[in-house]
Amino acid sequence: MSNAAQQFLEAAGTITRNLRHRGLIQTALRKYEVARDRKKSAFNDWSSARQSAAETKWDAINHLDTYLTEFTSKIEARGTKVHWCPTGPEARDTIRGIIRDAKAKCVVKSKAMTAEEIHLNEALEKDGFEVVESDLGEYIVQLRKEPPYHIVFPAMHLTRDEISDLFERELGSAPTREPEELTMIARRALRRKYIQADVGITGANFAIAETGMVSITENEGNARLTAALPRVMITLLGIEKVLPKMEDLALFLPLLATAGAGQTVTGYNTLYGGPRQPGESDGPVEWHVVLLDNRRTELLADPEQRDALHCIRCGACLNVCPIFRNVGGHTYGTTYSGPVGSVITPHLRGLQDWKHLSNASSLCGACTEACPVKIDLHHHLLQNRRNAVGETPSWIERLAWRAHAFAVNTPALYQFGQEVARIVEPLRQRLQGTPLDPVKTWTSTRDLPPVAPESFKEWWRNRR
Amino acid sequence: MNAQERILARIREALTVPAPMPGSHGHGHDQGRVEVPAPVFAFQGRPVHVARAWLPPGGTTPEEQLTRFSAASAELKTDFRCVASEAEAHQQLRGIADSEGWKRVASHHSALTDAATTALGRPTLFTDGGYVPDDLEACEAGITTCDVLVAQTGSLVVNSRTSGGRALSVLPPHHVVLARRDQLVCDLTAAFQRLEELHGRNWPSMISLVTGPSRTGDIERILVLGAHGPKKLTVLMW
Amino acid sequence: MNVTLFIPCFVDTCFPQVGMHMVRILERLGHRVTCPEAIACCGQPAFNSGYWDEARQVAGKTLHHLRDAEAVVIASGSCGAMLKVFYPQLYAGRPEEAAAQRLSEHTWEFSDFLVSKLGVTDLGARFPAKVTFHDGCHGLRELGIKSGPRKLLEKVRDLELVEMSDAETCCGFGGTFAAKFPMISTAMGEVKCASAADTGAEYMVSNDSSCLMHLQGLLSRQGKPLKTLHLAQILDSQ
């Protein structure tokens, strides 16, 4: 078992017994469900909208070279520098170089999961730069020195009291139970940062090939400010973010907001097509777009799971996943958690180390049903399981499944097994609760149904 | 080979094996359309308007659109006021300025904003041609025009060239938008078409679809307005 | 009609009464029921564990015995999904592909067979109790079964059907998942049981005995009064 798998099991064991966590997450996500259902019902046809989005992303991903080339030439024509980075370390070094060249001290950042993916903050802090997360949720988890709990709701695992304590400790603010007051404390603390910062770093939700623009979705206005005031702007995004046309946003913005947060569209959806242009009064004088591969091309090379690159990071699959709702975001130990994280992490970080996430699923399919771009998520989990076995089978398991096949395929043996189970049942019951219980993974929390005195097949034979 | 060529080569290599079209999996009740129209891909002729019919509707007549914009604004907590004339809009603006005690406002030069700031008669920072961020931060309101308003979503679009830059509409705590009735369109598709007509040959560096005042739900999923951007958004339309 | 009833291994061993009720119901409707004794398992456990070669060793036998059946009725949504959805995948590009496809088209989950194939909803049953229905995930999402079981329950005399808030949320069984990740499986089951208990129902009913085995195990261990029943047990009550 990999270290990651061991850590997952331990963390899951602890957190699933934490009823406070369970209650907090269930309550938050029920609120989300109500809002999402209301906004879904405002669509004339949600199901067809999803299908259309899936087709559009299929087009984008299956012509990725064409669209990326188009995007790059269009955006560079307006004075933007595009950096293509095959790996995380290369992207990190590129960004460090840009910041050093800008002679920056303070960097303000708006939410970017790709930055989490390449561990950008740690690298920049090691270089001695001050890095401030500006999204409220990200700011909170940054102060707590922990990774985001959820790709859309980074601090959903915390109560207002915990946040108040945190602000009191880190910012010296007076304790309060009012979310509004807590938000204003962060607003005041971050205002100065936007004005002081020399460099702003953002992520992006979409890259529009046709016009050479990136689109950033947010609610707070922090990305708007990050892209307005600092002298240098850096945008980091994965190569899969491409959409062919600007008008595609007319579909994708409502789809993302509805599935992700239960909103018609989010507060700010902003297209950036270059640094400050002649005749404009503000905005960065330099803009760098960093395109990240980081093994996305390996996922692209798997036609069976290529549609996982359609993901628009809305978080809908996390929100509906009963596993996520019980183990929470941190248990996964990955940048991308929940069903989509379980699907793509083995491709991005190695199948053998991360296959346990594909096994830790009841394959209920709620994720696939919720996905606004119709990624076949739960079937990809099955494929990951098959691929992991195909790559390095466990001979003990293989032998066990062969024995199982032999037993169920041989009626006499199968019946004999039932007889044995019937005979040892009283003994098994006596062992229940002891370390010798052969089925203790089941019986530690659940009763086991007894073997019936007469099986169906015996009844059927006797009846005729 | 440079990094761009390396990544493009990997992409082309990966794409030599085709992937199945979407919609070919699953057997459940939520299957969407069974017959997928055969789209022609890669720019040429893909039916981009196809999805429009499935999205939330924006209203067919101007009256319906106005009703929808108004309802969406109410839900978003945008203060939307549709008035009879420019003079009445100015009167409303003075009323807001008085009740909130604005000392200094920020704006940009345009026919609508020049008339409004003159009518308002308060010290005004014009962002055209540059400004000091601290000065803008000290203003109580940012008054701007917009390119287009969207009935479907209750949104409006500002840009970095003709709406006073990137920060004017987001740094001051109150954003006031001056708009004409004929700037309201049905839906996002129509809005993108309007933007294309306005800027298609020379895009501003930033185009922002603004939907309500700044908001967050990051603390216990409870809605709070004014996370980083404006706490208030007022739309005056005539 | 000649109905071939496939009783999966765990129903055969632990819940034989579910199969018996199905036989009685189908015979009462005038169908000739056969149960091939040579087959015991659909192969899903090995399939879900990633051991597709070993799954084919089991599935091959089942496929062979059922290949010419007029209608295969299966006593579990999960095993039904294996035959209907996953056999064609398991045999894609293999000589048995056509047979797997044929079997898929002739296989029905029990409640779906009654409602969709036979068009029967009233079986003349009477069951004076308040019940809530749990949608097994494979039945719901792989096979698209949602309204059928409810139509059947609505026709049962003196039965009151109440919906729980999380009817479509997974109970946490998930086959080998329940044994490999018992802590997560248990937490999911507890959420489900709480949701069902909140309705005030006396019985949680499902068309999948595998979910019920897990849920009843939890309820019994925790000494909860709520009981589980398979749909067929209710439909054969007088």
Side-chain angles (χ1 to χ4, degrees):
Chain A
M1 198 185 290
S2 69
N3 280 340
Q6 195 62 47
Q7 279 164 18
F8 177 85
L9 279 175
E10 280 165 22
T14 309
I15 201 150
T16 48
R17 285 195 299 269
N18 181 342
L19 297 183
R20 192 182 141 281
H21 172 266
R22 190 191 290 180
L24 196 65
I25 301 308
Q26 300 284 352
T27 308
L29 290 175
R30 287 221 168 97
K31 267 190 209 167
Y32 152 83
E33 279 174 356
V34 171
R36 179 206 57 192
D37 288 347
R38 214 167 71 76
K39 291 300 177 187
K40 260 170 77 171
S41 67
F43 275 64
N44 279 335
D45 184 346
W46 171 256
S47 173
S48 298
R50 291 171 77 210
Q51 176 64 25
S52 187
E55 287 169 19
T56 305
K57 277 305 277 192
W58 185 93
D59 174 20
I61 295 299
N62 285 278
H63 302 98
L64 193 56
D65 51 336
T66 313
Y67 288 132
L68 278 177
T69 308
E70 181 77 14
F71 168 76
T72 303
S73 70
K74 285 272 163 63
I75 205 164
E76 284 191 331
R78 297 175 44 89
T80 308
K81 174 81 184 108
V82 178
H83 307 261
W84 293 64
C85 298
T87 64
E90 282 164 280
R92 230 161 37 214
D93 289 344
T94 301
I95 292 170
R96 291 162 68 190
I98 297 165
I99 296 174
R100 260 198 310 272
D101 290 349
K103 302 195 169 39
K105 286 188 198 68
C106 178
V107 176
V108 67
K109 219 169 130 260
S110 73
K111 196 165 160 19
M113 289 312 293
T114 35
E116 300 289 332
E117 181 185 330
I118 65 169
H119 306 288
L120 183 62
N121 285 9
E122 293 156 40
L124 296 183
E125 277 161 10
K126 211 173 279 170
D127 285 353
F129 302 116
E130 184 193 0
V131 185
V132 185
E133 291 287 350
S134 58
D135 172 88
L136 176 59
E138 293 281 346
Y139 181 61
I140 292 168
V141 295
Q142 186 187 31
L143 287 178
R144 283 173 62 92
K145 299 181 177 58
E146 64 183 19
Y149 179 89
H150 181 292
I151 60 175
V152 177
F153 315 130
M156 75 180 293
H157 59 306
L158 301 172
T159 63
R160 59 185 88 183
D161 294 325
E162 286 168 308
I163 295 166
S164 173
D165 289 349
L166 176 74
F167 283 0
E168 196 181 345
R169 200 165 59 237
E170 298 291 331
L171 307 172
S173 60
T176 171
R177 298 207 75 241
E178 290 305 315
E180 180 155 6
E181 185 45 41
L182 290 167
T183 304
M184 292 312 131
I185 292 167
R187 180 184 168 108
R188 283 192 293 271
L190 286 165
R191 275 264 142 167
R192 298 312 307 160
K193 299 292 177 189
Y194 295 115
I195 294 172
Q196 287 162 0
D198 315 286
V199 175
I201 300 179
T202 75
N205 297 82
F206 305 103
I208 310 298
E210 173 195 39
T211 55
M213 295 175 183
V214 302
S215 173
I216 301 179
T217 289
E218 54 155 345
N219 271 309
E220 299 180 0
N222 60 308
R224 285 275 313 267
L225 288 167
T226 302
L229 299 174
R231 195 159 39 82
V232 175
M233 174 175 170
I234 302 170
T235 298
L236 171 65
L237 69 158
I239 53 171
E240 83 285 10
K241 292 288 178 198
V242 166
L243 278 182
K245 288 174 156 277
M246 189 162 82
E247 280 177 63
D248 290 327
L249 293 173
L251 168 62
F252 279 86
L253 298 181
L255 207 66
L256 171 61
T258 301
Q263 294 177 276
T264 308
V265 287
T266 60
Y268 301 94
N269 287 282
T270 310
L271 283 158
Y272 294 97
R276 181 192 304 193
Q277 298 294 301
E280 292 184 348
S281 56
D282 58 5
V285 291
E286 250 182 66
W287 187 28
H288 301 266
V289 169
V290 180
L291 285 174
L292 179 68
D293 177 353
N294 206 20
R295 298 179 74 167
R296 282 163 176 77
T297 42
E298 298 206 2
L299 185 49
L300 191 73
D302 179 357
E304 203 174 42
Q305 297 194 33
R306 188 176 294 160
D307 70 350
L309 289 169
H310 297 183
C311 178
I312 55 174
R313 306 278 186 263
C314 69
C317 63
L318 285 64
N319 299 342
V320 300
C321 176
I323 316 295
F324 180 90
R325 288 168 82 134
N326 282 290
V327 305
H330 288 148
T331 301
Y332 289 81
T334 57
T335 305
Y336 306 103
S337 62
V340 73
S342 300
V343 168
I344 66 174
T345 304
H347 296 268
L348 303 181
R349 295 174 69 180
L351 181 56
Q352 293 309 321
D353 283 345
W354 297 95
K355 63 182 178 189
H356 60 281
L357 296 180
S358 297
N359 286 317
S361 166
S362 61
L363 303 172
C364 78
C367 47
T368 306
E369 189 177 70
C371 177
V373 292
K374 297 185 79 168
I375 302 169
D376 200 5
L377 290 161
H378 72 297
H379 292 153
H380 292 337
L381 296 175
L382 266 172
Q383 292 150 4
N384 279 345
R385 295 180 187 186
R386 177 204 59 199
N387 295 348
V389 167
E391 212 176 78
T392 37
S394 144
W395 290 105
I396 294 172
E397 279 188 47
R398 172 149 280 173
L399 210 61
W401 288 119
R402 283 194 183 154
H404 171 261
F406 184 66
V408 295
N409 280 349
T410 316
L413 195 57
Y414 171 76
Q415 269 176 47
F416 177 70
Q418 283 180 332
E419 279 304 327
V420 171
R422 228 170 258 150
I423 291 162
V424 303
E425 176 66 14
L427 175 65
R428 189 201 64 77
Q429 279 179 13
R430 269 207 299 283
L431 291 175
Q432 191 164 305
T434 74
L436 294 173
D437 184 353
V439 285
K440 61 172 180 290
T441 53
W442 182 275
T443 55
S444 61
T445 55
R446 293 160 287 209
D447 282 356
L448 196 66
V451 177
E454 184 185 45
S455 75
F456 174 82
K457 283 188 175 139
E458 285 161 344
W459 173 79
W460 179 255
R461 264 195 303 275
N462 297 338
R463 186 170 177 258
R464 278 189 308 176
Chain B
M1 258 207 289
N2 66 25
Q4 173 171 1
E5 288 160 348
R6 253 171 33 233
I7 293 175
L8 283 173
R10 295 183 63 163
I11 292 171
R12 289 184 185 125
E13 168 70 26
L15 292 178
T16 51
V17 187
M21 280 287 293
S24 53
H25 64 76
H27 304 260
H29 45 85
D30 186 21
Q31 282 308 291
R33 292 160 305 129
V34 178
E35 281 177 37
V36 178
V40 183
F41 287 108
F43 284 127
Q44 276 78 39
R46 190 165 57 78
V48 287
H49 301 303
V50 161
R52 189 176 187 177
W54 301 319
L55 299 174
T60 43
T61 64
E63 291 70 34
E64 244 176 70
Q65 289 164 10
L66 195 62
T67 309
R68 285 202 183 269
F69 187 82
S70 183
S73 297
E75 193 188 324
L76 291 162
K77 301 192 163 56
T78 299
D79 182 5
F80 171 54
R81 307 181 189 193
C82 189
V83 296
S85 65
E86 185 168 16
E88 201 187 326
H90 294 167
Q91 205 185 333
Q92 296 272 348
L93 186 61
R94 278 194 298 270
I96 299 167
D98 288 343
S99 70
E100 293 190 2
W102 295 350
K103 290 185 199 66
R104 192 176 161 80
V105 298
S107 190
H108 63 98
H109 290 301
S110 78
L112 294 190
T113 46
D114 284 347
T117 50
T118 306
L120 196 57
R122 291 178 200 233
T124 306
L125 167 77
F126 288 97
T127 55
D128 317 66
Y131 59 91
V132 177
D134 279 317
D135 292 348
L136 180 59
E137 219 254 323
C139 294
E140 278 100 359
I143 302 169
T144 75
T145 56
C146 70
D147 284 341
V148 60
L149 303 99
V150 190
Q152 178 191 36
T153 56
S155 316
L156 56 97
V157 178
V158 295
N159 76 70
S160 51
R161 190 190 303 134
T162 59
S163 325
R166 295 191 183 198
L168 174 59
S169 54
V170 76
L171 194 59
H174 194 152
H175 179 203
V176 180
V177 180
L178 306 171
R180 301 299 312 269
R181 278 283 297 268
D182 62 8
Q183 289 182 288
L184 178 64
V185 300
C186 161
D187 58 8
L188 288 171
T189 307
F192 284 117
Q193 281 163 359
R194 181 70 67 90
L195 289 170
E196 175 95 35
E197 287 159 23
L198 288 171
H199 308 292
R201 282 195 210 94
N202 183 19
W203 292 104
S205 71
M206 180 211 81
I207 298 165
S208 189
L209 182 80
V210 177
T211 310
S214 157
R215 59 193 57 230
T216 186
D218 274 347
I219 300 171
E220 293 188 18
R221 311 287 322 124
I222 293 163
L223 177 71
V224 175
L225 299 182
H228 292 285
K231 296 174 192 177
K232 289 185 180 168
L233 174 64
T234 301
V235 177
L236 294 172
M237 185 193 273
W238 66 92
Chain C
M1 196 182 299
N2 289 308
V3 176
T4 308
L5 191 60
F6 183 4
I7 300 298
C9 45
F10 65 97
V11 176
D12 177 50
T13 309
C14 300
F15 308 100
Q17 66 281 11
V18 171
M20 298 173 202
H21 290 298
M22 287 182 184
V23 171
R24 288 196 198 105
I25 290 168
L26 292 168
E27 287 182 345
R28 237 189 0 255
L29 291 168
H31 302 286
R32 213 174 74 80
V33 180
T34 53
C35 296
E37 287 184 49
I39 53 173
C41 178
C42 62
Q44 182 162 216
F47 176 76
N48 280 359
S49 300
Y51 289 84
W52 288 26
D53 288 338
E54 288 69 20
R56 272 186 286 266
Q57 289 175 9
V58 179
K61 190 170 181 199
T62 302
L63 189 57
H64 176 74
H65 280 271
L66 299 176
R67 62 189 307 159
D68 299 319
E70 188 183 348
V72 175
V73 172
I74 192 156
S76 151
S78 189
C79 306
M82 184 66 194
L83 267 64
K84 270 189 95 65
V85 180
F86 298 116
Y87 273 21
Q89 290 181 24
L90 196 56
Y91 288 106
R94 287 169 185 268
E96 302 91 333
E97 189 174 358
Q101 196 57 48
R102 189 202 172 274
L103 177 61
S104 167
E105 286 155 17
H106 288 78
T107 298
W108 305 83
E109 181 276 329
F110 173 69
S111 71
D112 199 30
F113 182 71
L114 292 178
V115 178
S116 305
K117 178 72 175 168
L118 300 180
V120 177
T121 49
D122 190 347
L123 293 157
R126 181 178 168 275
F127 193 80
K130 191 171 175 179
V131 308
T132 189
F133 189 80
H134 159 62
D135 293 286
C137 299
H138 271 139
L140 177 70
R141 298 198 181 87
E142 301 293 351
L143 304 179
I145 297 167
K146 174 75 185 177
S147 62
R150 288 171 174 78
K151 284 182 188 155
L152 290 163
L153 286 170
E154 277 160 13
K155 290 285 164 66
V156 175
R157 293 3 161 229
D158 303 330
L159 179 143
E160 187 193 348
L161 177 64
V162 284
E163 290 291 339
M164 61 178 129
S165 59
D166 292 321
E168 293 189 2
T169 304
C170 179
C171 69
F173 174 66
T176 50
F177 169 75
K180 283 185 182 164
F181 299 92
M183 61 300 206
I184 309 176
S185 169
T186 297
M188 287 162 70
E190 285 173 355
V191 172
K192 185 92 214 182
C193 290
S195 177
D198 282 346
T199 63
E202 297 152 76
Y203 296 95
M204 177 158 40
V205 180
S206 183
N207 50 351
D208 214 318
S209 297
S210 55
C211 305
L212 296 180
M213 172 168 70
H214 162 69
L215 292 169
Q216 186 62 62
L218 276 171
L219 291 165
S220 303
R221 176 61 60 86
Q222 297 180 359
K224 299 274 167 66
L226 185 67
K227 293 267 179 294
T228 62
L229 272 182
H230 190 279
L231 181 65
Q233 292 171 283
I234 290 188
L235 297 180
D236 197 29
S237 306
Q238 290 302 324

